[in-house]
Amino acid sequence: KPVSMEMDGKFLTEEQIGALGARQTASMTSTQFQSLSGEQLAALGSAAMSALPAALIASITPGQVAALTMPQLQGFSATQLHALSDTTLRALTPDQISVLNGGQINNLGTHQIQQLGGDQIAALGSGVLRTLSAVNAAALTPAQMALLTTDQLQAMGPQAAHVLLPAQLQALSPAQVTAIGPTALAALSSTQFNSLGAADLQALDATQLAALSTVEMRGLGVSGLSQFTDLQWSEIRGAQMAGLSSQQVAALTVNEVAALDASVIGAMSTLQWTALSAAQLQGLGTAALHALSRNEVASMSATQLAALSTLQVSTLNGTQVAGLSSAQLHGLAAEQVTA
């Protein structure tokens, strides 16, 4: 069956198109190349397609690009990918996008990355996102970030996470934030971490909380920490607690302090411990008081000691009591002493 392109006075069939060598196809003019139908373009061999110069690749129309075969696309070089126009790039089907490997995606320019539509973003495999360059990760628009699945976000590693802009992180839903791996989450700077909203912070699970750095914890400030639930405070460990300033410790609610694991209370620094108010101390349970070091008890002010109930005082062990100074002992109420 004759086809629409004429070369040297002859109509070329799809079979004839497929038989053209790399040198012959590379010598086509843009006019000749654009006259190829989708079927004719799909008939070109992978080697012939790979040999096409950027000028011809740039002339591919949206109608033609949809006909490109998977082997043809897999053979595209970085130069050829860069030559695709925005309109042509957006015409690639999700199936076509899905066959591009990480190297090819990373060879796209940042402007091209931003042209990818929702279906195309969804077609990016975990393997591709696992190797996504920092430059291209930072180029994703907030709208594109909002379209990433939890599997895709889990695949994005620390090298991508640490370059994400606050606007990109703010576009994520709590479910998406939960999908960020602990290692990637720990790679966020305090500025990035602070961009997460209350619902995002409350979505963090125990594994993610355990991965937070002292810098991230301190960077949340008083207002950021206030977003954590009591359950989350019960999952905070000494490594995270060590990052809190005395101002942050003093701002914790009675319930938040009471939710802290006894090992966390025992690991608090003297500066943190002395920042606790009377109300916060009164919320501590027996296990938490038993976990206190001799130095922590010895650092308590008269006001703090006076705030302890007789039951709490009675739970202090001999080593802890031995650490009290004479001034502290004299400051205890009669009922505390008898306890």
Side-chain angles (χ1 to χ4, degrees):
K1 179 180 179 180
V3 294
S4 61
M5 190 193 80
E6 184 178 60
M7 181 179 288
D8 296 331
K10 285 186 175 181
F11 286 102
L12 301 182
T13 64
E14 291 170 24
E15 184 178 356
Q16 289 172 316
I17 289 287
L20 293 176
R23 185 175 179 180
Q24 292 170 304
T25 53
S27 66
M28 288 183 186
T29 66
S30 295
T31 300
Q32 289 174 321
F33 192 72
Q34 286 186 323
S35 70
L36 290 172
S37 68
E39 290 77 8
Q40 287 175 306
L41 195 60
L44 283 175
S46 297
M49 181 65 74
S50 298
L52 292 176
L56 287 184
I57 293 293
S59 70
I60 294 179
T61 66
Q64 288 176 312
V65 77
L68 293 178
T69 66
M70 307 310 173
Q72 286 176 327
L73 285 167
Q74 289 171 325
F76 265 40
S77 67
T79 302
Q80 290 176 314
L81 286 170
H82 273 297
L84 292 174
S85 69
D86 293 350
T87 304
T88 301
L89 185 64
R90 288 194 293 266
L92 287 171
T93 67
D95 286 341
Q96 289 175 311
I97 290 290
S98 70
V99 301
L100 298 178
N101 60 43
Q104 289 176 304
I105 292 296
N106 280 330
N107 281 327
L108 292 175
T110 54
H111 175 74
Q112 289 178 302
I113 287 290
Q114 293 175 339
Q115 302 309 306
L116 298 178
D119 290 343
Q120 293 173 314
I121 289 292
L124 295 175
S126 296
V128 169
L129 289 171
R130 193 171 293 114
T131 58
L132 190 66
S133 68
V135 172
N136 281 339
L140 291 170
T141 67
Q144 289 174 319
M145 290 293 296
L147 294 171
L148 293 174
T149 66
T150 53
D151 287 341
Q152 288 176 311
L153 281 166
Q154 285 175 342
M156 292 178 71
Q159 79 284 351
H162 86 278
V163 298
L164 295 178
L165 302 174
Q168 291 174 298
L169 291 167
Q170 288 167 355
L172 299 178
S173 68
Q176 287 176 303
V177 171
T178 304
I180 297 176
T183 305
L185 192 69
L188 298 180
S189 68
S190 58
T191 301
Q192 290 175 302
F193 197 63
N194 284 347
S195 67
L196 298 177
D200 298 325
L201 292 174
Q202 291 169 1
L204 299 179
D205 60 27
T207 304
Q208 290 175 309
L209 288 171
L212 298 182
S213 68
T214 55
V215 174
E216 288 173 320
M217 291 293 288
R218 186 178 290 262
L220 282 173
V222 171
S223 60
L225 290 180
S226 68
Q227 306 305 326
F228 287 150
T229 65
D230 292 347
L231 177 60
Q232 286 177 306
W233 278 109
S234 72
E235 294 166 339
I236 291 292
R237 292 298 173 255
Q240 286 72 50
M241 193 68 184
L244 302 189
S245 66
S246 55
Q247 290 78 15
Q248 287 175 304
V249 171
L252 297 179
T253 68
V254 172
N255 287 341
E256 288 170 343
V257 173
L260 292 172
D261 188 78
S263 63
V264 176
I265 294 292
M268 290 174 67
S269 69
T270 301
L271 188 61
Q272 290 176 320
W273 177 246
T274 55
L276 291 175
S277 68
Q280 289 171 316
L281 287 169
Q282 289 170 346
L284 294 178
T286 302
L289 289 170
H290 279 167
L292 296 179
S293 68
R294 174 172 172 158
N295 288 339
E296 284 177 318
V297 174
S299 68
M300 294 178 70
S301 67
T303 302
Q304 287 178 312
L305 282 171
L308 297 180
S309 67
T310 53
L311 177 61
Q312 286 177 309
V313 172
S314 69
T315 64
L316 296 177
N317 59 43
T319 301
Q320 292 170 319
V321 172
L324 294 175
S325 67
S326 56
Q328 288 174 310
L329 289 171
H330 283 305
L332 292 176
E335 58 270 21
Q336 289 178 308
V337 174
T338 57

